[in-house]
Amino acid sequence: MNTIATQSTATQSTLPAIGRVLLAAIFVLSGVGKALAPSGTIGYIESVGLPFATLGLVAAIAIELGGGVMLALGIKTRLVAALLAAFSVVTALVFHNALGDQNQLIHFMKNIAMAGGLLQVVAFGAGAVGRAG
């Protein structure tokens, strides 16, 4: 048996799953944080002038927690990754747009980088350890 081919197959089946879990972790933790401290998130949503802050909180928790878990498990991976990528870009533009503030710039770039990683999942799928979609 060709060792390089075996190693490559093992890597191709394991690394996408690890990548999905690493990408999902920030969404799951953020969703849990929002659920445990809703008033802070509602205040933050209101501070940027968005209406329906409570509805925004519920939507953010559903997207982050639900999408994060689905991404980690490889369920409807491409669709969920596309949703999370769009969510990341929108939150970067709405909440982290004060690019003259270095902290906000870092958060903006973090969100854009996450969207880039998620688009890789959209393009290449869940990998061998994941479900279709």
Side-chain angles (χ1 to χ4, degrees):
M1 179 177 253
N2 185 340
T3 305
I4 293 173
T6 303
Q7 190 175 38
S8 178
T9 302
T11 300
Q12 288 175 350
S13 65
T14 305
L15 286 181
I18 293 169
R20 286 193 330 269
V21 169
L22 293 174
L23 280 168
I26 194 166
F27 292 103
V28 171
L29 290 175
S30 184
V32 168
K34 284 175 178 64
L36 295 176
S39 61
T41 302
I42 289 171
Y44 192 40
I45 293 169
E46 290 173 340
S47 76
V48 298
L50 292 177
F52 311 112
T54 302
L55 182 60
L57 168 69
V58 171
I61 292 170
I63 290 167
E64 290 179 338
L65 220 92
V69 168
M70 289 176 74
L71 180 66
L73 296 175
I75 300 169
K76 297 286 185 191
T77 310
R78 286 187 161 123
L79 176 63
V80 168
L83 175 69
L84 290 172
F87 179 80
S88 296
V89 170
V90 169
T91 56
L93 294 171
V94 172
F95 294 102
H96 305 301
N97 57 20
L99 302 182
D101 176 343
Q102 185 175 6
N103 185 48
Q104 288 300 310
L105 176 62
I106 290 168
H107 283 292
F108 180 88
M109 293 306 299
K110 170 210 38 133
N111 279 40
I112 298 303
M114 290 185 323
L118 289 160
L119 290 176
Q120 290 288 307
V121 176
V122 172
F124 299 107
V129 183
R131 299 184 180 139

